[in-house]
Amino acid sequence: MQLVIGNKNYSSWSLRPWLLMQHLSVSFEERKLWLFTEQMKAHMQQVSPSLKVPVLIDNGLTIWDSLAICEYLNDQYLRGEGWPQQIAAKAQARSICAEMHAGFFAVREEMPMNVRREKAAIVLSDQANTEIQRIITIFSQCLDKSKEGDSATEYLFGDFSIADAFFMPIVIRFSIYQIQVPENVKQYMQHMLSLPAYKIWQADAIAETAVIAVAEV
Ligand SMILES: N[C@@H](CCC(=O)N[C@@H](CS)C(=O)NCC(=O)O)C(=O)O
């Protein structure tokens, strides 16, 4: 199975399925496609129907879009354990992933994922601050509820799930742009940033030398 990803320093969409697979020990081969280079379009045309990454290629099947890839991995390789097992928790997890997938445009625009960036706060628009508060509410509500369950409390829904993978780029953004968060969110972020799987991604991202100027804010 091959996962085609973009630059590890910048490609937030690629990080989601990569982290899910790496953290849950699904074996795969990684193929990197450098974003916004002269060759990008030609390379995308060879692998991605949407001309975007990530793309998963498995047994002659091509799956594109990070959410579709995570759903496929959940069905095919994770015995449904990519999502919380309880129906209500699964519905909540899917809701926050869908919300993340389809929104938060000001956060994306103003706070590009940039793993190796020196940590420093930036001035944000009112819209970005509103979106940040909404994300903090999501985190806080999930973490409070997660604590009520029997399982480990370090993740949004007890055990690691697709929801954690989906919100990992936000954790990185909040960290590098020094967003003020409540204590429980801070602890969650520290836990996510210290995951061995993420440490691999981070080291690879730091080793990359390609620069995407618009993502350097
Ligand atoms: N909704 C897609 C978004 C994928 C996406 O925008 N990927 C970016 C890289 S992070 C990309 O391929 N950009 C290339 C381009 O826009 O030409 C997903 O979830 O996979």
Side-chain angles (χ1 to χ4, degrees), residues 11-13 35-36 40 44 51-54 65-67 101:
S11 187
S12 56
W13 300 100
L35 294 169
F36 305 111
M40 179 183 88
M44 285 285 194
L51 303 181
K52 291 187 190 304
V53 286
D65 190 284
S66 55
L67 188 52
H101 205 52

Side-chain angles (χ1 to χ4, degrees), residues 11-186:
S11 187
S12 56
W13 300 100
S14 302
L15 171 57
R16 296 170 171 133
W18 188 96
L19 189 70
L20 183 72
M21 293 165 94
Q22 188 73 31
H23 183 77
L24 296 179
S25 304
V26 177
S27 39
F28 68 103
E29 189 185 297
E30 162 188 319
R31 179 166 159 198
K32 200 182 285 177
L33 195 156
W34 296 104
L35 294 169
F36 305 111
T37 57
E38 278 179 18
Q39 305 80 15
M40 179 183 88
K41 197 169 173 203
H43 290 161
M44 285 285 194
Q45 279 167 344
Q46 286 165 17
V47 289
S48 175
S50 63
L51 303 181
K52 291 187 190 304
V53 286
V55 174
L56 187 76
I57 301 162
D58 188 28
N59 278 323
L61 186 63
T62 296
I63 304 128
W64 62 98
D65 190 284
S66 55
L67 188 52
I69 294 170
C70 289
E71 290 283 12
Y72 173 78
L73 293 167
N74 177 61
D75 293 341
Q76 184 75 329
Y77 292 103
L78 299 173
R79 302 165 307 278
E81 290 169 11
W83 292 114
Q85 296 306 290
Q86 281 183 326
I87 289 181
K90 191 194 288 187
Q92 295 294 300
R94 283 192 160 129
S95 295
I96 65 166
C97 288
E99 186 176 348
M100 174 49 60
H101 205 52
F104 300 109
F105 297 112
V107 163
R108 286 185 212 291
E109 176 81 21
E110 295 174 36
M111 303 163 61
M113 191 177 95
N114 181 351
V115 172
R116 64 172 177 246
R117 182 183 191 272
E118 206 173 305
K119 286 184 188 173
I122 54 170
V123 177
L124 295 164
S125 67
D126 289 348
Q127 178 59 27
N129 281 315
T130 301
E131 291 177 8
I132 286 167
Q133 289 314 311
R134 168 66 191 143
I135 296 168
I136 289 173
T137 301
I138 291 173
F139 278 155
S140 294
Q141 285 175 347
C142 289
L143 293 169
D144 285 351
K145 198 132 195 86
S146 188
K147 226 181 279 174
E148 291 167 11
D150 305 330
S151 43
T153 56
E154 298 99 332
Y155 299 111
L156 295 176
F157 292 91
D159 295 325
F160 182 92
S161 73
I162 292 170
D164 298 289
F166 253 69
F167 278 78
M168 188 67 209
I170 288 293
V171 167
I172 297 165
R173 287 176 164 109
F174 279 15
S175 170
I176 59 177
Y177 298 106
Q178 305 218 293
I179 302 301
Q180 297 301 311
V181 296
E183 192 53 36
N184 60 343
V185 176
K186 200 181 285 175

